[in-house]
Every structure is written in C-alpha cells, then in structure tokens.
Amino acid sequence: MNGKIVLITGANAGMGLATTIEIAKKGATVIMMCRNKQRGEEALKTAIEQSGSTNIKMMICDLGSLESIHSFINQFKEKYNHLDILINNAGVMTLKREVTRDGFEMQLGVNHLGHFLLTNLLIALLKNAEEARIINVSSGAHKVGKIHFQDPFLTKRFGLMKGYAQSKLANILFTKELSRKLKNTNITVNALHPGAVATSIGVNRKTGFGKSFMKLMKLFFLSPEEGASTAIYLATNDEVRHITGEYFYKKKISLVSKAALDGDLSKRLWTWSEQQVSIYPQK
C-alpha cells in the first residue's frame, strides 16, 4: 500500500475511522472525508495516534449537499492527480423523514446519490491510477429493499427500514452498473455487507437523538473494527484485484437479492440518479 492514495467517506467515526487507521498502518496516504470540521479534526488526531502514520489528511465534504461535493472535488483535484482506492463508507439512518440540502430524502440522498455523484466525479482520477478500486459499503438490509420510483423520496409514506433498505439496494445496483460501465478499465467496483455493527449511523446528525440506543447496541453487535475488516480486505488484498461487480460478506462473495441482480433496474436507477444530480452520462 506504500504510495497509494485512499479516500474514505464518513471517516470521522465507526467503521470509517477504523478503516482509516488500519489502511494507514499499511503505508497508504489516507484522506479522511468528514462532514463536520471539529469532529473531523478530533478523528484525524486519533487516527494519527493509533496508526503511527503521518500520511493522513482530513478534508471536509457534506454528502447531503451537491454543492459541497463539487467544492470537495475541486479541492481534491488541486492536491492529487490520481486516486487508487475509493471507499464509500458514509451512511445515515433516520428515525423520521429528513431531507438533504437539495431536497432528497436523507437516506437515499446521502447513502446513494451523494456517493453516486462523488464517484462519477472521481472516475478520471481513478483511471489515472495503475490499478484502482471502488468499494461501496452496503448492507444485508438491501434484501428487503425496493426502489420506489413512484415516490423515491418517500414523501407520502416514510418508514425507517423502507428508506434505509432502498438506499442499500441502490448501493448494490450502482455497484453492478458501474462495474459494467468500467469493464476493460483499470478500475474494479465491489460492494459489501459489514455485518451488524455498533456505529453512530442511527444518531440524528443535528440533535444527537439515538445515542443511548446506539450504546445499547454495542453490547450485542460487532465492533467498528470487526465491521471494517471486509472493506479493508477489498481495499488491500491481492486476491480480489481482478474481481468486480460482486457483493462480499465476511471477505467472501455472497448472494444478493433478486432485485439487486436486475440489470434493467440498475440501468433505470442509473439514469434517474444522473437526472437528480445533474451530471452527464458516464462514458
């Protein structure tokens, strides 16, 4: 991993921070993408202390804002001319319906559309690498997910799992379609289920509501370090260097839902997503 540049979204806590520390230990330059400056700076300090590496940087970006994503990309391109590994780790889960700055339902907006735009805007830098990898953190929740095209932002009937499962199914459909579009390039794209992990994903981004529930979860669920193991494996192991378009669980290729294998659905979601974030079709 020496000399490789790795970008990790949602790196200020949980699996993102654990992934940052372990990959930095392996010699890579890691850029921690964080939404909040104060929490990001605290996480950066922790990452440097625990990894023993000084090749860790922190950059600000809110995946719930298309403007923030474009601003981040401009800053990133000023500093780096290529990117070896992109780990789309950031995720939110909301107990009640919330919206992003652009009016998207928060879970679909951050978990899918924010990463969709970010990834597409980074493709050129990934192509500049000798061998590049995109890793999307999805969830086993995708298996109960549907893409609700008639009301994708759940304005009429919101449900926590309905919205979260939709966003996680979108992660896998995005992975499958992007891997097809990048066939015969230097870039592989894979998704993963980290397992049931005790993180801050269910804590309200503004009020902090849900912290007590998340503390209780830690008694029964995997630690962030355990949850990060498959993402680290996909980012660093030579065994998967030529594997693309797959879904991993516990470092092995795993089965996905019938909907996740629907090529027509992945194409439809791709076109819809392009329209939402206003980008040109990926060549």
Side-chain angles (χ1 to χ4, degrees), residues 137-170:
V137 178
S138 181
S139 166
H142 86 272
K143 293 181 180 179
V144 295
K146 295 180 181 178
I147 306 298
H148 302 277
F149 283 112
Q150 73 283 6
D151 184 24
F153 299 134
L154 310 181
T155 58
K156 294 172 184 161
R157 232 177 137 185
F158 175 81
L160 182 155
M161 188 49 67
K162 180 180 180 182
Y164 185 70
Q166 173 178 243
S167 74
K168 296 290 105 179
L169 172 59

Side-chain angles (χ1 to χ4, degrees), residues 67-94:
E67 181 183 3
S68 180
I69 295 168
H70 280 286
S71 176
F72 169 84
I73 291 294
N74 290 335
Q75 294 174 48
F76 191 86
K77 286 183 175 179
E78 286 177 3
K79 297 178 180 178
Y80 306 100
N81 61 10
H82 77 280
L83 177 63
D84 296 283
I85 298 163
L86 170 61
I87 303 178
N88 289 321
N89 162 82
V92 296
M93 180 184 282
T94 60

